[in-house]
Amino acid sequence: MARDTTASKLPPGPTGYLFFSEHEALRDQLSLYQRIFESYGDFAKLDGLPGISWYLVARASAIEHILVTHQNRYRKPDNFNKTLALLVGSGLIVNEGESWLKQRRLMQPAFHRERLSALADCMIESTRQMLEQWHKLEDGSEVDIAAEMSNLTLTIAGKTLFGLDLRDKAELFGASLRQALGHVSEKMNNPFTYPEWLPTKENRNFKKARHNLIQVVNEIIETRRKTGGDRGDLLSMLMAAQDESSGEKMNDAQLRDEVITLLVAGHDTVAATLAWLYYLVGCNTRVQEKLQAEVKAHVNEALTLEDLPKLSYTRLVIDEALRLYPPAWGQPREAIEDDEIDGYFIPKGRIIAVSQYLAQRHPDYWKEPLKFHPERFLAEDELAKDRPKFAYFPFGGGSRMCIGNNFALMEAQIIVAMISQSFTIELASNQTIKPDPTFTLRPDGPVLVKLKKAK
Ligand code: HEM
């Protein structure tokens, strides 16, 4: 039945076109969105250029409507899918319709709890190797924890998902990934970029970065084709998977798209979470001491998978880091038919930027929202009692929810617990660290910390 949208109104928002009035500010979308949220509230209309408008939404009930209750009225926008496809081809994150469903069903079993449990030892071993290197440094040495976490999470993704040791390629892969995501993000947000075929410096750099990434991915696939056999990991499952009706296997191009998607989605997000976590914990002695006390109380010499459920405070610290600095800080949707939310008219084709970053700092849902306070998830104050589900959704929601959420949380818990066992992390002074919203929300430069051996 057609919905009656005639009575609905448009959300409030700034007058004028942002591409003219806020041209510079558009380069820093996070700050711009924050200002708009402060001035116009959690449901706002933005006009970029004549004919280009979008809504910014940080209202939990509206987010639930878009991502879950009425998700069939929305899709990921073409602009998002096509631009990200420059990097990930037709991988799960940009796939749509029947083809998406087929791939999601194929990959889901690899992320079931029992499968994930089998990966814990590998995560523990990789973290142990990083700590062994840290122990060789002089006490109090300074390191860039963002780079350390990026290398570690790429090593873990390579081994757990594809059975490959990527340690010696981690730096090149990380740098190429940042370059490529910067290009993709610019293309998504700026309608005035040059077409891909023009050999501009920017386009050439992107091609080179993509080539570096594809080389790593090709090596992963070739190595496995040579060694063969079912290793029980995701790569084996993807390679063995056959289309039920045609009996066809995934070809190398499809396989490559899924592998690069998982490497991109599965490593950078966890690395950013941990970099932010140590930015927050590194100057909060109380939280760090509680983390260390918890590990001391519950873990014998070497951490095992069985210890994880006992480390509830460690989990709260991870949840709180994900609240303040969600790596996926917003996600776009496009209305595929006219709709209405809270009395606001959503015309077919309208893009909606749903924002984790704003909802998770919304003063209606969180007491002292900017304070780093892991215990807030246990609080029973008025706000906590009535807090709607989509006030906190770092992994998205609905059918397109993150496939790797349990993988990410297990990995982060292992890494934080093992670091707490051996080191006190102290944020080096005199640093200005700002969030860089280029695709994943990550610190805009190194996060320098001092590694002090725990007593
Ligand atoms: C803290 C870490 C992570 C965060 C915050 C995160 C966040 C998200 C979010 C918000 C989405 C939904 C995007 C949308 O609906 O538009 C998503 C999708 C996805 N994530 Fe994650 N993710 C994380 C870790 C991982 C890991 C470890 C993997 C794989 C190993 C992964 C693989 C994916 C894939 C493949 C999708 C697309 C799913 C689909 O469309 O069916 N993510 N992630």
Side-chain angles (χ1 to χ4, degrees):
M1 202 174 64
R3 274 175 296 284
D4 176 17
T5 50
T6 48
S8 55
K9 54 191 194 291
L10 293 176
T15 49
Y17 296 114
L18 294 174
F19 281 102
F20 302 132
S21 60
E22 298 274 6
H23 193 69
E24 273 314 299
L26 271 174
R27 301 205 148 268
D28 180 5
Q29 263 189 15
L30 202 64
S31 309
L32 175 66
Y33 283 1
Q34 186 127 30
R35 274 195 283 127
I36 287 173
F37 172 76
E38 279 157 18
S39 305
Y40 300 98
D42 53 17
F43 206 129
K45 177 170 183 280
L46 286 75
D47 297 312
L49 285 172
I52 304 185
S53 300
W54 67 101
Y55 291 168
L56 176 63
V57 174
R59 187 178 302 175
S61 58
I63 295 169
E64 187 161 13
H65 175 113
I66 295 162
L67 294 185
V68 186
T69 347
H70 298 290
Q71 56 179 301
N72 56 335
R73 297 178 193 167
Y74 296 89
R75 51 164 284 162
K76 295 193 182 190
D78 255 359
N79 173 40
F80 173 88
N81 283 348
K82 284 192 182 140
T83 322
L84 191 52
L86 293 172
L87 181 59
V88 303
S90 62
L92 193 67
I93 202 153
V94 297
N95 208 338
E96 289 286 340
E98 275 301 305
S99 167
W100 165 77
L101 189 62
K102 193 179 109 198
Q103 292 298 97
R104 175 98 192 193
R105 284 202 183 126
L106 208 92
M107 289 159 75
Q108 194 74 58
F111 291 93
H112 283 165
R113 261 174 212 286
E114 339 51 278
R115 283 274 186 174
L116 291 184
S117 302
L119 304 179
D121 283 349
C122 179
M123 294 175 176
I124 290 170
E125 177 54 22
S126 298
T127 311
R128 195 194 60 72
Q129 284 172 5
M130 179 194 73
L131 292 173
E132 203 174 86
Q133 295 305 315
W134 285 11
H135 275 294
K136 288 183 192 155
L137 302 171
E138 220 170 277
D139 199 15
S141 288
E142 217 167 82
V143 299
D144 172 8
I145 195 93
E148 293 289 312
M149 293 301 105
S150 180
N151 293 346
L152 176 59
T153 54
L154 181 63
T155 305
I156 288 177
K159 271 203 208 150
T160 51
L161 301 171
F162 312 115
L164 199 76
D165 191 342
L166 292 174
R167 250 177 312 167
D168 55 333
K169 298 182 188 63
E171 265 169 45
L172 177 69
F173 191 93
S176 303
L177 185 60
R178 249 177 295 287
Q179 166 101 44
L181 286 177
H183 180 81
V184 166
S185 174
E186 175 72 12
K187 286 242 139 186
M188 252 176 225
N189 298 313
N190 182 354
F192 304 118
T193 55
Y194 290 111
E196 281 305 297
W197 52 264
L198 263 185
T200 60
K201 185 167 174 244
E202 173 58 31
N203 284 347
R204 276 184 284 127
N205 285 345
F206 170 68
K207 286 211 171 80
K208 197 164 159 222
R210 185 170 187 276
H211 175 78
N212 290 339
L213 298 173
I214 297 285
Q215 262 192 330
V216 173
V217 171
N218 282 342
E219 190 182 324
I220 291 176
I221 296 172
E222 271 163 34
T223 311
R224 183 60 61 88
R225 288 239 193 271
K226 269 192 218 127
T227 48
D230 181 0
R231 305 260 195 95
D233 62 11
L234 187 72
L235 188 58
S236 300
M237 290 174 86
L238 292 177
M239 285 177 131
Q242 284 188 326
D243 188 277
E244 276 170 21
S245 47
S246 65
E248 255 178 60
K249 290 202 175 179
M250 243 192 260
N251 62 34
D252 269 7
Q254 281 169 306
L255 200 55
R256 202 176 62 193
D257 291 348
E258 297 304 3
V259 170
I260 197 159
T261 299
L262 290 169
L263 279 175
V264 170
H267 122 84
D268 202 38
T269 44
V270 185
T273 306
L274 294 168
W276 286 121
L277 185 144
Y278 282 108
Y279 168 71
L280 296 161
V281 167
C283 54
N284 193 315
T285 314
R286 181 190 71 84
V287 170
Q288 188 144 208
E289 282 175 0
K290 263 183 106 166
L291 277 173
Q292 289 172 330
E294 178 173 82
V295 178
K296 226 178 220 161
H298 296 294
V299 182
N300 293 324
E301 202 79 347
L303 179 96
T304 64
L305 175 69
E306 288 66 43
D307 295 324
L308 297 186
K310 293 177 259 168
L311 303 178
S312 52
Y313 189 71
T314 306
R315 179 56 201 274
L316 289 180
V317 173
I318 295 164
D319 291 346
E320 177 70 341
L322 280 168
R323 182 185 72 81
L324 278 170
Y325 294 103
W329 62 279
Q331 53 208 62
R333 289 294 187 268
E334 178 184 339
I336 51 179
E337 55 185 277
D338 286 353
D339 196 9
E340 188 185 306
I341 306 177
D342 290 355
Y344 292 130
F345 177 46
I346 322 284
K348 178 181 173 185
R350 176 64 33 97
I351 305 290
I352 302 184
V354 160
S355 177
Q356 275 93 337
Y357 185 80
L358 295 176
Q360 293 177 181
R361 291 165 173 241
H362 196 317
D364 285 0
Y365 310 139
W366 307 95
K367 203 170 141 194
E368 297 184 89
L370 303 188
K371 195 170 154 193
F372 174 56
H373 184 55
E375 291 84 351
R376 70 169 66 248
F377 290 100
L378 306 174
E380 288 179 359
D381 56 66
E382 276 309 301
L383 291 184
K385 262 200 289 170
D386 299 331
R387 186 173 298 137
K389 187 154 179 266
F390 279 80
Y392 184 78
F393 61 114
F395 295 102
S399 62
R400 301 300 299 245
M401 187 171 169
C402 180
I403 200 170
N405 57 345
N406 292 322
F407 179 110
L409 290 171
M410 179 169 97
E411 180 181 6
Q413 212 184 7
I414 286 173
I415 295 172
V416 175
M418 288 180 73
I419 292 178
S420 304
Q421 248 183 332
S422 317
F423 287 93
T424 298
I425 307 292
E426 193 183 294
L427 196 66
S429 49
N430 296 327
Q431 296 183 81
T432 315
I433 295 164
K434 289 206 304 256
D436 170 3
T438 312
F439 211 75
T440 313
L441 190 71
R442 63 162 90 85
D444 66 346
V447 179
L448 299 176
V449 298
K450 289 195 172 119
L451 301 179
K452 300 204 163 153
K453 305 221 161 97
K455 298 192 179 86

